[in-house]
Amino acid sequence: MSETKETTLTAEREKRRGLMALLHGNRVFRSLFRHGLPDTNRNRALATFSNFFLHVQPVKVRLRAIKFTQTFYLGGLSLVCFGTLTITGILLMFYYHPSVPRAYEDMKDLQFVVSSGTFLRNLHRWSAHVMVALVFLHMVRVFFAGAYKPPREFNWVLGVILFVLTVLLSYTGYLLPWDQLAYWAVTVGANMAKAVPVMGEDIRFLMLGGTEVGENALIRFYVLHCVVLPLALTGVIALHLWRVRKDGGLHLPPLKGKGGEGDR
Amino acid sequence: MALVDDLNEPISEREITRRRALLTLGGGALGVASLGGIVTLLRFMSPNVLFEPATRFKVGRVEDIPIGSVLVIPKRKIFVARNDQGCFAMSSVCTHLGCMVQHQTASKAKEEFFCPCHGSRFDFEGNVVGGPAPRPLDQVSLEIDGGELVVDIKETVPHGTVTEV
């Protein structure tokens, strides 16, 4: 680096320091952000791993890893779907009563009476369908890239758990509109569970909270859909993302020809 | 690159770079979208249909209430009473802290109504005769429609209003 350029850079940095010094010297600010201005490599690294929302990210990412065609962002998009589903789901809960006399009517009210109800319900429904598709495609991508191979075997297992949780969320949510489609889909699903050898009957009984799809089944599916499964999914997602970093970041195919650009 | 062509100003100070312009545009769009989202959210949260009982309802016929007696309707939190001038309806919500005022069936003349929470006492017309209540019981609208008494609990009327029979 030439001397003049370095002098200009230092001057620029000093100027920014002057403007931000007041803010960065502030005790409250320093209690929130432990690091100084992100103008050195050390502070840039600190900005990432001392931030709760960024700490699962590696401090440095290889350029190849963030290329769209490398992953098609399928995992991230699944996460976006989950976020959309959480927000729209919470809003729908404000108008939905999980009881036999009210469930169907509340669903109809959401569509025809509540302001923006149709939009939110459709957003929830479509995000759910898209999420199942995205999670599946994410698995396919990981499989064909061979990204499940050591040292990432356990993260593949976590991924399978996440897929199962996604499908279960989809299934439990299916009953909540309490229309004919919901009723018979869950009837069929519960009878499929009955096919499990030896304990099939007991599984079905526990699943429905009775011998038929009724009030108990509705409240069970509601609690699973709104509390148990989303919490489980959130926990396993956190573990899954953390493992991605701990297993050495994104799996990348080896570069052809050694010694050139290096593993960037 | 410069969007400002004021030659008298040093360019480095006034220049709006493409990045800055795009940031402003993007930030502005995000701001507008967020504002719209908040408005939509508030509209969503305000119910368009209520599953609450009607505020205007019939309580019975005039003949059902003899002069000097009180009709108690605990479900709708009202008393309908009749004196020599006519009928009137009162809210049974205590004016002190909102408990349910009880009608004393075996009462003496001056203690028609009694609040179990803090001991406020009201007479037949709803006037305070004891306890911490700051003002008489609220009176609500009472109309007579073809001999039927119709109460509207949403509409309060001045204390002492009497509907002639």
Side-chain angles (χ1 to χ4, degrees):
Chain A
M1 200 184 275
S2 70
E3 209 172 291
T4 30
K5 200 176 172 191
E6 203 167 341
T7 324
T8 327
L9 271 178
T10 317
E12 191 69 25
R13 254 175 73 179
E14 284 311 310
K15 201 176 134 199
R16 279 176 60 204
R17 273 200 184 286
L19 287 169
M20 298 293 276
L22 201 69
L23 187 61
H24 279 262
N26 188 301
R27 201 175 148 187
V28 177
F29 189 90
R30 283 310 274 223
S31 77
L32 287 168
F33 304 100
R34 301 293 188 190
H35 54 84
L37 279 172
D39 55 358
T40 62
N41 276 339
R42 185 177 175 276
N43 277 350
R44 277 185 190 155
L46 280 169
T48 301
F49 54 70
S50 66
N51 182 316
F52 175 75
F53 299 100
L54 298 178
H55 81 281
V56 289
Q57 291 205 357
V59 168
K60 286 176 183 173
V61 182
R62 281 165 293 179
L63 264 179
R64 285 200 296 144
I66 53 170
K67 203 177 152 208
F68 177 69
T69 48
Q70 190 67 47
T71 58
F72 306 103
Y73 304 163
L74 291 164
L77 289 172
S78 307
L79 188 63
V80 169
C81 272
F82 181 54
T84 310
L85 285 162
T86 308
I87 293 166
T88 53
I90 287 170
L91 290 174
L92 292 175
M93 280 171 79
F94 281 114
Y95 282 102
Y96 179 81
H97 301 75
S99 68
V100 171
R102 290 297 297 277
Y104 180 72
E105 288 175 17
D106 285 343
M107 183 268 291
K108 284 289 170 200
D109 273 2
L110 270 162
Q111 288 219 279
F112 298 109
V113 179
V114 179
S115 306
S116 312
T118 316
F119 175 71
L120 281 173
R121 181 160 183 257
N122 289 352
L123 199 58
H124 194 76
R125 190 188 161 87
W126 284 108
S127 301
H129 286 311
V130 170
M131 185 175 165
V132 174
L134 282 172
V135 170
F136 175 74
L137 289 173
H138 178 51
M139 276 181 106
V140 171
R141 203 281 303 171
V142 167
F143 182 79
F144 284 117
Y148 58 86
K149 289 174 186 167
R152 300 183 174 82
E153 316 101 297
F154 182 63
N155 222 11
W156 171 263
V157 174
L158 289 178
V160 172
I161 293 172
L162 284 173
F163 178 67
V164 172
L165 285 173
T166 307
V167 171
L168 284 177
L169 269 164
S170 206
Y171 178 64
T172 51
Y174 213 84
L175 181 66
L176 304 186
W178 201 249
D179 51 9
Q180 285 293 309
L181 198 62
Y183 184 87
W184 293 109
V186 171
T187 303
V188 168
N191 284 336
M192 281 160 77
K194 203 167 70 176
V196 173
V198 189
M199 53 206 283
E201 200 73 57
D202 297 327
I203 291 177
R204 184 178 185 272
F205 187 75
L206 281 178
M207 215 172 111
L208 299 180
T211 51
E212 56 181 29
V213 180
E215 193 82 70
N216 275 357
L218 182 56
I219 195 78
R220 263 169 209 233
F221 275 53
Y222 178 76
V223 172
L224 287 173
H225 186 76
C226 301
V227 184
V228 181
L229 293 172
L231 279 180
L233 196 74
T234 308
V236 183
I237 286 174
L239 203 55
H240 190 64
L241 293 176
W242 178 75
R243 283 302 293 226
V244 170
R245 206 185 92 195
K246 291 290 163 182
D247 293 342
L250 223 68
H251 166 80
L252 293 172
L255 280 176
K256 281 168 196 160
K258 284 181 179 173
E261 281 281 285
D263 194 15
R264 288 184 65 194
Chain B
M1 191 122 115
L3 298 177
V4 178
D5 56 358
D6 190 345
L7 297 173
N8 296 324
E9 294 290 327
I11 281 183
S12 60
E13 291 295 314
R14 294 289 308 272
E15 183 182 74
I16 300 172
T17 61
R18 182 183 304 196
R19 175 173 293 193
R20 210 193 142 90
L22 286 174
L23 266 178
T24 314
L25 210 64
L30 204 69
V32 170
S34 313
L35 207 69
I38 290 168
V39 171
T40 312
L41 182 72
L42 287 176
R43 285 189 47 167
F44 170 81
M45 289 306 295
S46 158
N48 294 331
V49 170
L50 293 179
F51 297 94
E52 288 170 5
T55 57
R56 193 181 153 88
F57 52 93
K58 289 175 183 170
V59 292
R61 298 194 66 82
V62 181
E63 308 89 84
D64 298 343
I65 311 172
I67 293 170
S69 73
V70 178
L71 178 69
V72 185
I73 305 169
K75 251 193 173 167
R76 305 310 308 267
K77 300 176 185 172
I78 55 157
F79 299 126
V80 183
R82 184 172 176 185
N83 58 20
D84 359 315
Q85 280 115 53
C87 293
F88 55 95
M90 291 180 292
S91 163
S92 64
V93 177
C94 184
T95 51
H96 176 220
L97 285 171
C99 290
M100 283 306 107
V101 174
Q102 303 296 312
H103 180 230
Q104 307 281 85
T105 37
S107 68
K108 281 141 202 132
K110 281 280 162 190
E111 269 186 43
E112 195 73 23
F113 303 105
F114 173 75
C115 181
C117 288
H118 307 95
S120 292
R121 292 188 298 278
F122 306 88
D123 67 9
F124 186 78
E125 266 85 32
N127 296 306
V128 183
V129 287
R135 56 172 205 279
L137 291 173
D138 290 327
Q139 251 185 265
V140 295
S141 148
L142 178 75
E143 286 167 29
I144 297 166
D145 183 8
E148 291 265 17
L149 294 161
V150 181
V151 169
D152 191 343
I153 49 173
K154 224 164 88 183
E155 228 175 286
T156 50
V157 293
H159 180 71
T161 309
V162 171
T163 309
E164 279 177 43
V165 180

